[in-house]
Amino acid sequence: MFTLTRDDGHQLSTDPARLDLDLVHHWLSTDAYWALGRDRETVGRAFAGSLPYGVYRPGDGRQVAVARVVTDRATFAWLCDVYVDRAARGVGLGTWLAGAVRDHLATLGVRRIVLATSDAHGVYAKIGFALVEPDRWMQYDGRGQA
């Protein structure tokens, strides 16, 4: 398990037992454009098969942010489902979370991390993420198929 505490007392942890998956499901399925309508079972399976990162408020320990990483824990990672509770935004938690994930993965030897965003490019650019060459990366997207 990896933990890190920010100067203001917010704590990051990779302990899956600390995740409030009902809250995470609510955030993702109702407020995250990439996961609207995602069912609770899918959220649970996704986090069970990934490296989870939760951020917890000082004092009461309530979860205020989340991210998950799909990775081989050696060479490659996909950072996804990054979400900061609306009430906790504006104090840099998203940038801190993404930077902490990047740094933690580096300790495992992971040197390539990808992510997708439609609206948070500035958050990730602050910590070294850059746009990907459009003629190099490919994808198969089966989300629209029955």
Side-chain angles (χ1 to χ4, degrees):
M1 244 54 79
F2 172 74
T3 60
L4 180 68
T5 303
R6 199 165 98 144
D7 290 343
D8 66 4
H10 281 89
Q11 187 177 67
L12 176 142
S13 174
T14 59
D15 183 354
R18 288 191 69 183
L19 288 177
D20 182 342
L21 283 177
D22 290 329
L23 179 61
V24 171
H25 169 251
H26 174 74
W27 287 337
L28 296 179
S29 67
T30 65
D31 195 40
Y33 67 84
W34 65 90
L36 292 175
R38 188 179 289 171
D39 63 76
R40 173 63 173 78
E41 179 191 353
T42 299
V43 170
R45 284 188 299 122
F47 275 85
S50 303
L51 180 57
Y53 292 84
V55 176
Y56 306 91
R57 187 166 60 194
D60 64 4
R62 181 182 182 279
Q63 187 170 348
V64 294
V66 70
R68 73 181 177 93
V69 174
V70 180
T71 182
D72 59 11
R73 298 176 190 224
T75 63
F76 181 81
W78 170 36
L79 174 59
C80 54
D81 288 340
V82 178
Y83 186 91
V84 177
D85 188 305
R86 287 191 175 272
R89 293 180 187 175
V91 295
L93 283 177
T95 302
W96 179 74
L97 169 57
V101 168
R102 178 205 58 207
D103 294 347
H104 177 240
L105 292 171
T107 69
L108 303 177
V110 174
R111 296 293 182 255
R112 177 165 286 164
I113 306 168
V114 297
L115 62 84
T117 184
S118 290
D119 62 354
H121 297 84
V123 169
Y124 300 108
K126 288 178 191 175
I127 58 166
F129 282 82
L131 293 173
V132 177
E133 299 171 37
D135 61 343
R136 175 177 283 238
W137 289 91
M138 297 177 70
Q139 74 170 354
Y140 168 79
D141 188 347
R143 291 176 290 184
Q145 298 180 13

